[in-house]
Amino acid sequence: MSSGLQDCQDNGISHPVVPLPVPQQVKAQLILAQTHLDAGCAEDAFSCFAIAARSGHPVALNMLGRAYERGWGVTRNPALAACCFEAAVRGGDGWAMFNLADLFFTGEGVPKDYRRAYRLYVDAARSGNAKALNMLGLMHEEGTAPGGRPDPEGARQFYQAAAEGGDCWAWLNLGRLSLEGGEWSDAVEAFTKALDAAVDGVSEAVLGLIRPYVQKPVFQPVLSRCLAKHAVSSDKRVSHAA
């Protein structure tokens, strides 16, 4: 593994750089790792991630970090994940910026540090990561962004930018804000776009938010889509089990 993992200290500098192209050999190991992961062979996947990370390439280091963060074929170790993400961040990997920000936001493997998390989310967003914009919105909404006070309007702007970038959770947050403001039509539109992404967990989240309002006719199409997705998921589970 690259010696870059030996120094995990933050130097306080926030300078996203253009990541290097992924060499074919590294790319092959990452593809093989994902294939093993999809097949349920997590230990084999981890071996491939580790081999790829020996190149020191930021994309490979980020994926090794994800393996440690999620426990893919190895004992879960958020602190070691943070080290991998730090090394990948120095190489300019936008996803590593996002993943390391998540650790600082939650305090897993590193001391909780909202300022560092915010800075990393900004860097990730500059690299084109829409999910980072959504997290910036959440921090502004909660008051954990620099300034220390809730900023609903700023949050909405970040959510809108993230949603336009394709993040379904940002659409969900926009729908939630519209729901709280009594803007039923806007909420329905946002929830519908969130459901269009067909991402696991979104239909459950939408259903939880609209449950108190299901008697309102405007929410019936959204309710029907949520229930249909649940039915499809249940059928798949039964079929797989059989």
Side-chain angles (χ1 to χ4, degrees), residues 27 40 42 44 70 126 168 178 189 203 223 237 241:
K27 187 180 296 185
D44 291 334
R70 303 299 295 272
R126 287 174 177 164
C168 63
S178 296
E189 180 182 1
S203 61
L223 175 63
R237 285 195 294 270

Side-chain angles (χ1 to χ4, degrees), residues 76-96:
R76 189 169 181 271
N77 190 331
L80 192 50
C83 288
C84 294
F85 294 149
E86 288 273 14
V89 165
R90 288 194 289 271
D93 187 76
W95 275 110

